[in-house]
Amino acid sequence: MKTKLKMQQLLPASLFSLVGIGVIGCLPAAAVAERSVESEWSNRAGLSDGAIVAQANAALGGLNDSYVLGAGDLVSVSIFNVPEYSGQQKVLANGTLNLPVVGMVSVAGLTLQSAGAAIASAYQSELRYPAVTVVLEDARPLRVAIAGEVSQPGLYTLKAEGDAQFPTVAQALQTAGGVTQAADLHRVALRRSNGGQSQTITLDLWALLNNGDVNQDLALRDGDAIVIGATRNVDVAESNRLSASNLAASVEQDIVVAVVGEVFRPGAYEFGGASEQVSRGRTTVTQVVQTAGGVKPSADIRNIQVRRATRSGEEQLINIDLWALLQQGDISQDLVLQQGDTVLIPVATNATPNEIAQLTAANFSPDEVSVNVVGEVERPGLLQVSPNTTLNQAVLAAGGFNRRSSETVELIRLNPNGTVTQRQVEVNLSEGLDDEANPLVLNDDVIVVGRNGRARFNDGVEGLLSPVLRLLSPLRLLF
């Protein structure tokens, strides 16, 4: 592989000047004081995306992008008009080059231009005006630290493939398994130690994703550290767009998500596997709710919360309004979830019958509920009906009233708090949805259809006469 990064290409042309020994030199860059990531993020909190991009672009100009030599680099040393001293050299483990005649010359921690000056100085005792050019032929692998909101933080060794340039920030994040859904891509800190000076620059990778600003995707150097903090205010739509990018965690990773509150089967559920995720895509709130048996009619889907732990140990609370998804088709409310998320669904306090009917018809409600219809109907027993079924419809599903039935039924309901309520409802089959006259039936409701007055009278008479009739039965055989 030949990267061949000449020293003239690594620094701005305005910094170069010729010096007496025939090597290209440069003016020393101004020292840049190290700033903490937290301070930088605090200074930029509340800025618009455009302002963040402007600041990031301005900061890029102050970054020392010079390549620093180290053990394992392969360089080409060319001394003008002295081919016998020229050729390829590898930086040894002790950071030196073993050069003809002059022997060991230390180049570790030097830029290509500074290494050329050091080599020229070593040859001054042998040559009158040594003109030295140093070209990087094959760069050593880069050791880069990645911390914060990534799937697999740690220390990574990166190598350019083929004739490609140095690995970039985006490539490093992909190597670390991608960023989490809690990552703040507006403020990605890149720390670099170069020539004894430490620099911290903040990159805006959202400008890369949204506007194609490749200037934010810097090439890395050995010893760089990438730190990604958690976003302070979660934008659900932005989080979902992040999940669709190639910077996000792999879709094949297994995740465990908990759901509690107003669902039929609360608990922890595992999602993942390549085959499952290819067909279903990334795991979202509605998928988790469906897996947990669907929401109950008493659920408050306007105020769902997702509780998310960040790498720093802090907790994010993300508000989700699935009612906006039902009414306006706001698909951004269907948040993409990640490992360890918990979905909390509270109880609605003032839902209207029409709202409950719309909720039970949604695809994140259960497909069926169980209702037990007993008494004077044609087919009494346990029924499986759709969750938006009314009391009238449940009676009809049981075959309707028989000749002995009363038009007043008893509805027995087990409440979420463990209590049982029962009430009398006068059935009018022409009545539409009404919380009093024709309520929606819920899972495990019991509908008791009693006898009418005539049936009760006949049953009473039969009860009185049946002992006498049993006594008279043997006498009938004598006549």
Coordinates of all heavy atoms in Angstrom, one line a residue, residues 111-146:
T111 N 6.6 15.5 12.6 CA 5.9 15.5 11.4 C 6.9 15.1 10.2 O 8.1 15.0 10.4 CB 5.3 16.9 11.1 OG1 6.4 17.8 10.9 CG2 4.4 17.3 12.2
L112 N 6.4 14.9 9.0 CA 7.2 14.5 7.9 C 8.2 15.6 7.6 O 9.4 15.3 7.3 CB 6.4 14.2 6.7 CG 5.5 13.0 6.8 CD1 4.6 12.9 5.6 CD2 6.3 11.7 7.0
Q113 N 7.8 16.8 7.7 CA 8.6 18.0 7.4 C 9.7 18.1 8.5 O 10.9 18.3 8.2 CB 7.8 19.2 7.4 CG 8.6 20.5 7.2 CD 8.6 21.3 8.5 OE1 7.7 21.1 9.4 NE2 9.6 22.1 8.7
S114 N 9.3 17.9 9.8 CA 10.3 18.0 10.9 C 11.3 16.8 10.8 O 12.5 17.0 11.1 CB 9.6 18.0 12.2 OG 8.8 19.1 12.3
A115 N 10.8 15.6 10.4 CA 11.7 14.5 10.2 C 12.7 14.8 9.1 O 13.9 14.4 9.2 CB 10.9 13.2 9.9
G116 N 12.3 15.4 8.0 CA 13.2 15.8 7.0 C 14.3 16.7 7.5 O 15.5 16.6 7.1
A117 N 13.9 17.7 8.3 CA 14.9 18.6 8.9 C 15.9 17.8 9.8 O 17.1 18.1 9.7 CB 14.2 19.7 9.6
A118 N 15.4 16.9 10.6 CA 16.3 16.1 11.5 C 17.3 15.3 10.7 O 18.4 15.2 11.0 CB 15.4 15.2 12.4
I119 N 16.8 14.7 9.6 CA 17.7 13.9 8.7 C 18.7 14.7 8.1 O 19.9 14.4 8.0 CB 16.8 13.1 7.7 CG1 16.0 12.0 8.4 CG2 17.8 12.4 6.7 CD1 14.9 11.4 7.5
A120 N 18.3 15.9 7.5 CA 19.2 16.8 6.9 C 20.3 17.3 7.9 O 21.5 17.4 7.5 CB 18.4 18.0 6.3
S121 N 19.9 17.5 9.1 CA 20.8 18.0 10.1 C 21.9 16.9 10.4 O 23.0 17.1 10.6 CB 20.1 18.3 11.4 OG 21.0 18.7 12.4
A122 N 21.4 15.6 10.4 CA 22.3 14.5 10.7 C 23.3 14.3 9.5 O 24.5 13.9 9.8 CB 21.5 13.2 10.8
Y123 N 22.9 14.7 8.3 CA 23.8 14.5 7.1 C 24.7 15.7 6.9 O 25.5 15.7 5.9 CB 23.0 14.2 5.9 CG 22.7 12.7 5.7 CD1 21.4 12.2 5.9 CD2 23.7 11.8 5.4 CE1 21.1 10.9 5.7 CE2 23.4 10.4 5.3 CZ 22.1 10.0 5.4 OH 21.8 8.7 5.3
Q124 N 24.6 16.8 7.7 CA 25.4 18.0 7.4 C 26.9 17.7 7.6 O 27.7 18.4 7.0 CB 24.9 19.1 8.4 CG 23.7 19.8 7.9 CD 23.5 21.1 8.8 OE1 23.2 20.9 10.0 NE2 23.5 22.2 8.2
S125 N 27.2 16.7 8.4 CA 28.6 16.4 8.6 C 29.2 15.6 7.4 O 30.4 15.5 7.2 CB 28.8 15.6 9.8 OG 28.1 14.3 9.8
E126 N 28.3 15.1 6.5 CA 28.7 14.3 5.4 C 28.4 15.0 4.1 O 29.1 14.8 3.1 CB 27.9 13.0 5.4 CG 28.0 12.1 6.6 CD 29.4 11.6 6.9 OE1 30.1 11.4 5.9 OE2 29.8 11.4 8.0
L127 N 27.4 15.9 4.0 CA 27.0 16.6 2.8 C 27.0 18.0 3.0 O 26.7 18.5 4.1 CB 25.6 16.1 2.3 CG 25.5 14.6 2.1 CD1 24.0 14.2 1.8 CD2 26.4 14.1 0.9
R128 N 27.3 18.8 2.0 CA 27.4 20.3 2.2 C 26.0 20.9 2.3 O 25.7 21.6 3.2 CB 28.1 20.9 1.0 CG 28.2 22.4 1.1 CD 29.2 23.0 0.1 NE 30.6 22.5 0.3 CZ 31.6 22.8 -0.5 NH1 31.4 23.6 -1.5 NH2 32.8 22.3 -0.2
Y129 N 25.1 20.6 1.4 CA 23.7 21.2 1.4 C 22.7 20.1 1.2 O 22.2 19.9 0.1 CB 23.5 22.3 0.4 CG 24.4 23.5 0.6 CD1 25.5 23.8 -0.3 CD2 24.3 24.3 1.7 CE1 26.3 24.9 -0.1 CE2 25.1 25.4 1.9 CZ 26.1 25.7 1.0 OH 26.9 26.8 1.2
P130 N 22.5 19.2 2.2 CA 21.5 18.1 2.0 C 20.1 18.6 1.8 O 19.6 19.3 2.7 CB 21.7 17.3 3.3 CG 22.2 18.3 4.3 CD 23.0 19.3 3.6
A131 N 19.5 18.2 0.7 CA 18.1 18.6 0.5 C 17.3 17.3 0.6 O 17.4 16.4 -0.2 CB 17.9 19.2 -0.9
V132 N 16.5 17.2 1.7 CA 15.9 15.9 2.1 C 14.3 16.0 1.9 O 13.7 17.0 2.3 CB 16.2 15.5 3.5 CG1 15.5 14.2 3.9 CG2 17.7 15.4 3.7
T133 N 13.8 15.0 1.3 CA 12.3 14.9 1.2 C 11.9 13.6 1.8 O 12.5 12.5 1.5 CB 11.8 14.9 -0.3 OG1 12.3 16.2 -0.9 CG2 10.3 14.9 -0.3
V134 N 10.9 13.6 2.7 CA 10.4 12.4 3.4 C 8.9 12.2 2.9 O 8.1 13.2 3.0 CB 10.5 12.5 4.9 CG1 9.9 11.3 5.5 CG2 11.9 12.8 5.3
V135 N 8.6 11.1 2.4 CA 7.3 10.7 2.0 C 6.8 9.5 2.7 O 7.5 8.5 2.9 CB 7.2 10.4 0.4 CG1 5.8 10.0 0.0 CG2 7.7 11.7 -0.3
L136 N 5.5 9.6 3.2 CA 4.9 8.4 3.9 C 4.4 7.4 2.9 O 3.5 7.7 2.1 CB 3.8 8.9 4.8 CG 3.1 7.8 5.6 CD1 4.0 7.2 6.6 CD2 1.8 8.4 6.3
E137 N 5.0 6.2 2.9 CA 4.6 5.2 2.0 C 3.5 4.3 2.5 O 2.6 3.9 1.8 CB 5.9 4.3 1.7 CG 7.0 5.0 0.9 CD 6.6 5.3 -0.5 OE1 5.6 4.8 -1.0 OE2 7.3 6.1 -1.2
D138 N 3.6 3.9 3.8 CA 2.6 3.0 4.4 C 2.5 3.4 5.9 O 3.5 3.3 6.6 CB 3.0 1.6 4.3 CG 1.9 0.6 4.7 OD1 0.8 1.1 4.9 OD2 2.2 -0.6 4.7
A139 N 1.3 3.9 6.3 CA 1.1 4.3 7.6 C 0.9 3.1 8.6 O 0.4 2.1 8.2 CB -0.1 5.2 7.7
R140 N 1.4 3.3 9.8 CA 1.2 2.3 10.8 C -0.3 2.2 11.2 O -1.0 3.2 11.0 CB 2.0 2.6 12.1 CG 1.6 3.9 12.8 CD 2.5 4.3 13.9 NE 2.1 5.4 14.6 CZ 2.2 6.7 14.3 NH1 2.8 7.0 13.1 NH2 1.8 7.7 15.0
P141 N -0.8 1.1 11.8 CA -2.1 1.1 12.3 C -2.4 2.1 13.4 O -1.4 2.4 14.2 CB -2.3 -0.3 12.9 CG -1.2 -1.1 12.2 CD -0.1 -0.2 11.9
L142 N -3.6 2.7 13.4 CA -3.9 3.8 14.4 C -4.6 3.2 15.6 O -5.5 2.3 15.4 CB -4.8 4.8 13.7 CG -4.3 5.4 12.4 CD1 -5.3 6.4 11.9 CD2 -3.0 6.0 12.5
R143 N -4.2 3.6 16.8 CA -4.9 3.2 18.0 C -5.7 4.4 18.4 O -5.3 5.5 18.7 CB -3.8 2.9 19.1 CG -3.0 1.7 18.7 CD -1.9 1.4 19.8 NE -2.5 0.8 21.0 CZ -2.5 1.5 22.2 NH1 -2.0 2.7 22.3 NH2 -3.0 0.9 23.2
V144 N -7.1 4.1 18.4 CA -8.0 5.2 18.7 C -9.0 4.7 19.8 O -9.4 3.6 19.8 CB -8.9 5.5 17.4 CG1 -9.9 6.5 17.7 CG2 -8.0 5.9 16.3
A145 N -9.2 5.6 20.8 CA -10.1 5.4 21.9 C -11.5 5.9 21.5 O -11.6 7.1 21.0 CB -9.6 6.0 23.2
I146 N -12.5 5.2 21.8 CA -13.9 5.6 21.5 C -14.7 5.4 22.8 O -14.8 4.3 23.3 CB -14.5 4.8 20.3 CG1 -13.6 4.9 19.1 CG2 -15.9 5.3 20.0 CD1 -14.1 4.0 17.9

